[in-house]
Amino acid sequence: MLTTFGLLVVVFVITRNLLLHDVDSRANHDVAQEASEFRTFADEGVDPTTSEPFTSVSRLLEVFLSRQSAGQGEVMAGVVGNSEILELPGNAWPAAGEGRRVLGELRSAPGPAGVLATDHGEIRWGKVEVSSDAPPGAAAGAASDASGPGTFIVGIYTDPGRELVDRTMRVLALVGLAGMAVTTGAAYLVAGRILAPVRSVRMVAEEIGENDLTGRVPVDGHDDIAALAETFNAMLDRLENAYTTQRQFVDDAGHELRTPITVVRGHLELLPDDPTERRKTLDLVDSELVRMSRIVADLLMLAKSEQPDFVVSREVDAAQLMLDIESKVQPLGDRFWLLMEVAEGPCQVDPERITQAMLQLASNAVRHTKEGTAIRLGSRFDGAGPGRRLSIWITDEGPGVSPEDAPRIFERFQRGAGSRSAEHSSGAGLGLAIVRAIAEAHDGVAWVRSVPGQGATFGIEVPAPEPTSAPQAWPHAEGETR
């Protein structure tokens, strides 16, 4: 609006100067036109009473002036000899007595035209000298007479035109200022509506505290401001997720590490002097430290699972991936490992993370079964085309999972009823949480199906869209005992 106001002032000044220049130009033009008309009349005119050329300068001026009408600020007069003055009845003299004084100055002024500054403003004038002995066809066709030579004088006061310009400019200024006021008000309202989302962003940013990242900017419309609000909300989502992950890591670490730290401290404070007892105590402390290290490693893994680079997918062969998993689970325990089913074809996954998840499930299966029992595993594709999914599973013959434990068994630090027994309580309850984190990082799910007392089947299912090219078959032997 300041820029607009500045431009308006520039236009105002330029317009006023142009109008004032036009006033002077029209005054000069009118003076020249009246002088030209007088010369033409003096050369070609005749006395209307005699129909003969004029024989008197006074008669010439009298007839010419009688046929003229004065415009705004215009004066016309004829001066004969030294005293006779013939004036147009409508002369616009600005004050009484102004005419004789100005006419005297104009008649004595050098040159045929000029500008004279008077007490009542500037007058632009022109004059034509009329010789008493001039023959017809000369400057003026007057015959000789006793009146002597004369002068035709025409002048135009420019102040009335200038006052008209000033009145016009005052009106334009008032209209311009009113328009500026209206435009400023409209611009203020429009700018307020445009900047309302920006103010919302600022207010939300001010309300966000160290422990509260739930505030969001309302998104309305599809313009750039709405895009800014969406971007700001997305940033808050990322910050909230990072903060939640960090707080959960700290809470989980503090909760799970408090007990082993207390145990280690208590035993070290009561460390006996007997070498045998001292060795037992140090072995216990060492086992607690190992468990603490494992808990920290698992917590770091879960924290890293929230990062976008946790999973690096690439195209792998599903059959080869299953065979690699099958070969890596065998050293986990003396069990009958049965490869029941192998999916064939390429898929887009992170093979290291998938293998890590399946090793965790296999370790759980070993921990909950006895030596010599069978553990079955396999993989298969479900569906076709873009909706195809890869499912990898492990079935054990352990105590199974109760219906009450199944919905929460993949939560952090949650263990089933069977795992809470002394025989199976070595874990911290983070293994299945890691499996679920790996599955969800692949946009998949971790699942369990079980009947208590009849074993359990754990698995993950991840998207594996079918490629356009036909997959290569991989030879396998179902039910092969390893």
Side-chain angles (χ1 to χ4, degrees):
M1 296 309 300
L2 289 176
T3 303
T4 304
F5 180 76
L7 292 175
L8 189 63
V9 171
V10 172
V11 171
F12 182 88
V13 172
I14 293 176
T15 302
R16 184 176 184 276
N17 290 334
L18 290 177
L19 291 177
L20 291 177
H21 182 267
D22 185 62
V23 169
D24 295 338
S25 297
R26 282 190 285 108
N28 292 336
H29 176 269
D30 292 344
V31 168
Q33 182 179 3
E34 294 293 344
S36 176
E37 290 179 357
F38 178 75
R39 288 191 183 93
T40 302
F41 182 80
D43 291 340
E44 302 177 358
V46 294
D47 193 331
T49 59
T50 62
S51 300
E52 296 292 335
F54 290 99
T55 58
S56 168
V57 174
S58 297
R59 181 60 179 169
L60 171 66
L61 294 172
E62 178 184 358
V63 172
F64 179 79
L65 291 175
S66 65
R67 297 181 177 182
Q68 304 300 314
S69 59
Q72 183 181 23
E74 186 178 28
V75 295
M76 282 185 285
V79 181
V80 181
N82 295 324
S83 60
E84 184 180 3
I85 298 177
L86 302 175
E87 287 193 47
L88 189 66
N91 275 347
W93 297 111
E98 177 81 1
R100 183 172 293 276
R101 182 179 62 81
V102 171
L103 290 176
E105 293 182 8
L106 294 181
R107 188 177 187 188
S108 61
V115 179
L116 177 66
T118 69
D119 296 337
H120 298 86
E122 179 184 271
I123 182 172
R124 292 180 176 266
W125 57 270
K127 63 182 180 179
V128 178
E129 300 291 343
V130 183
S131 175
S132 60
D133 57 354
S144 61
D145 66 332
S147 61
T151 305
F152 170 73
I153 299 174
V154 57
I156 297 180
Y157 282 94
T158 56
D159 280 4
R162 293 176 180 273
E163 292 176 358
L164 178 60
V165 170
D166 291 339
R167 288 197 300 271
T168 302
M169 297 311 299
R170 282 195 294 270
V171 173
L172 289 177
L174 292 176
V175 173
L177 291 176
M180 282 289 299
V182 173
T183 305
T184 302
Y188 180 81
L189 295 177
V190 172
R193 291 180 60 86
I194 292 175
L195 297 178
V198 178
R199 287 195 294 270
S200 298
V201 172
R202 177 181 58 80
M203 294 173 62
V204 171
E206 290 177 350
E207 293 173 357
I208 293 175
E210 182 179 355
N211 299 320
D212 184 14
L213 295 173
T214 59
R216 295 295 182 270
V217 180
V219 179
D220 184 17
H222 303 282
D223 54 7
D224 291 339
I225 300 297
L228 172 63
E230 291 177 352
T231 303
F232 187 77
N233 288 340
M235 180 190 69
L236 290 180
D237 291 338
R238 294 192 296 271
L239 289 177
E240 184 178 16
N241 292 335
Y243 176 75
T244 302
T245 301
Q246 181 185 30
R247 184 173 60 183
Q248 187 174 16
F249 174 83
V250 173
D251 293 343
D252 293 343
H255 177 268
E256 289 300 316
L257 296 178
R258 187 180 297 113
T259 299
I261 289 176
T262 303
V263 172
V264 169
R265 178 182 297 171
H267 283 84
L268 290 179
E269 289 176 352
L270 302 175
L271 189 65
D273 295 331
D274 182 69
T276 302
E277 295 297 327
R278 181 186 292 270
R279 171 52 56 190
K280 290 181 180 180
T281 301
L282 292 178
D283 290 341
L284 178 61
V285 169
D286 183 68
S287 65
E288 289 297 316
L289 292 177
V290 170
R291 188 162 74 92
M292 290 170 58
S293 177
R294 186 169 60 250
I295 291 174
V296 171
D298 290 344
L299 288 174
L300 290 175
M301 175 67 67
L302 290 173
K304 188 177 180 181
S305 67
E306 303 291 338
Q307 303 300 321
D309 60 346
F310 178 66
V311 167
V312 181
S313 298
R314 67 177 186 270
E315 185 173 305
V316 297
D317 187 88
Q320 185 62 53
L321 175 63
M322 191 64 232
L323 293 177
D324 291 342
I325 293 173
E326 189 266 344
S327 64
K328 291 178 181 179
V329 299
Q330 294 183 36
L332 296 178
D334 186 11
R335 305 293 188 272
F336 289 103
W337 298 94
L338 303 177
L339 185 58
M340 306 302 297
E341 187 178 6
V342 178
E344 297 179 353
C347 59
Q348 196 79 16
V349 295
D350 187 332
E352 286 77 17
R353 295 300 183 193
I354 295 294
T355 301
Q356 181 183 4
M358 298 310 299
L359 289 177
Q360 183 63 54
L361 293 178
S363 177
N364 285 353
V366 170
R367 192 163 57 248
H368 292 85
T369 58
K370 298 179 180 180
E371 292 186 4
T373 59
I375 298 179
R376 299 171 178 82
L377 66 159
S379 64
R380 63 177 175 272
F381 285 120
D382 295 322
R388 190 180 68 163
R389 302 177 72 84
L390 173 64
S391 180
I392 307 178
W393 48 267
I394 289 181
T395 301
D396 60 50
E397 298 177 354
V401 180
S402 66
E404 295 79 13
D405 292 334
R408 58 186 180 86
I409 199 171
F410 288 98
E411 299 293 333
R412 298 185 183 190
F413 305 111
Q414 297 294 329
R415 294 190 290 268
S419 299
R420 289 191 287 268
S421 64
E423 183 181 358
H424 307 300
S425 60
S426 60
L430 293 174
L432 293 180
I434 294 176
V435 173
R436 187 182 70 172
I438 293 174
E440 291 179 349
H442 283 83
D443 295 326
V445 294
W447 52 269
V448 57
R449 290 193 293 267
S450 176
V451 177
Q454 300 181 17
T457 300
F458 287 85
I460 59 173
E461 185 176 281
V462 297
E466 190 172 1
T468 55
S469 59
Q472 296 181 352
W474 188 273
H476 69 281
E478 293 189 2
E480 179 184 359
T481 301
R482 301 287 181 178

